[in-house]
């Protein structure tokens, strides 16, 4: 089965072949389906009720930490917000550490 790609952004159009979510909750719902092998996240998603990309990263981190059968997608961060990028990348490092431990790496 070919894994789908998810693009989270409220303004930038998705690249060809990617599905798009404009809110954090929609992205989480799509990722929870387990059919996405890759995701690219913006942080700033407009109105507060839209959430932000960090919320999606936190959801992914929690899933990885609490659900050993969850296969986290490859995650890219395309936000233009430099401080949010740093925060998101720190959480993604935690996900990668757990992923490596599960496959027997260090």
């Amino acid at each position: 089965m070919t894994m789908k790609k998810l693009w989270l952004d409220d303004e930038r159009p998705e690249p060809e072949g990617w599905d798009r979510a404009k809110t954090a909750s929609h992205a989480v719902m799509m990722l929870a389906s387990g059919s996405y092998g890759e995701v690219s996240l913006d942080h700033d998603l407009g109105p507060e009720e839209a959430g932000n990309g960090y919320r999606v990263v936190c959801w992914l981190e929690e899933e990885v930490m609490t659900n050993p059968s969850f296969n986290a997608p490859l995650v890219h961060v395309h936000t233009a917000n430099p401080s949010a990028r740093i925060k998101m990348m720190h959480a993604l490092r935690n996900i990668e550490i757990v992923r490596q431990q599960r496959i027997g790496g260090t």
Side-chain angles (χ1 to χ4, degrees):
M1 177 172 98
T2 302
M3 296 299 277
K4 299 191 289 185
K5 298 177 181 182
L6 177 61
W7 179 263
L8 173 63
D9 202 303
D10 64 321
E11 293 181 352
R12 297 174 196 93
E14 69 278 9
E16 186 174 331
W18 291 64
D19 295 337
R20 182 177 183 186
K22 292 184 178 184
T23 67
S25 59
H26 189 213
V28 166
M29 180 188 73
M30 293 169 81
L31 290 168
S33 74
S35 60
Y36 289 89
E38 195 168 349
V39 60
S40 189
L41 304 171
D42 185 18
H43 180 270
D44 303 324
L45 301 174
E48 187 174 329
E49 61 270 9
N52 58 55
Y54 182 66
R55 180 174 156 214
V56 176
V57 171
C58 289
W59 179 85
L60 287 168
E61 186 178 24
E62 183 174 348
E63 282 298 302
V64 166
M65 300 299 177
T66 62
N67 181 356
S69 65
F70 180 75
N71 291 319
L74 174 62
V75 181
H76 308 281
V77 176
H78 67 262
T79 186
N81 180 327
S83 62
R85 174 183 296 278
I86 291 168
K87 186 167 70 168
M88 292 168 78
M89 296 306 291
H90 281 293
L92 291 173
R93 273 194 282 279
N94 292 336
I95 292 170
E96 188 56 31
I97 289 168
V98 172
R99 183 196 322 256
Q100 290 300 317
Q101 289 171 342
R102 287 190 182 151
I103 63 170
T106 55

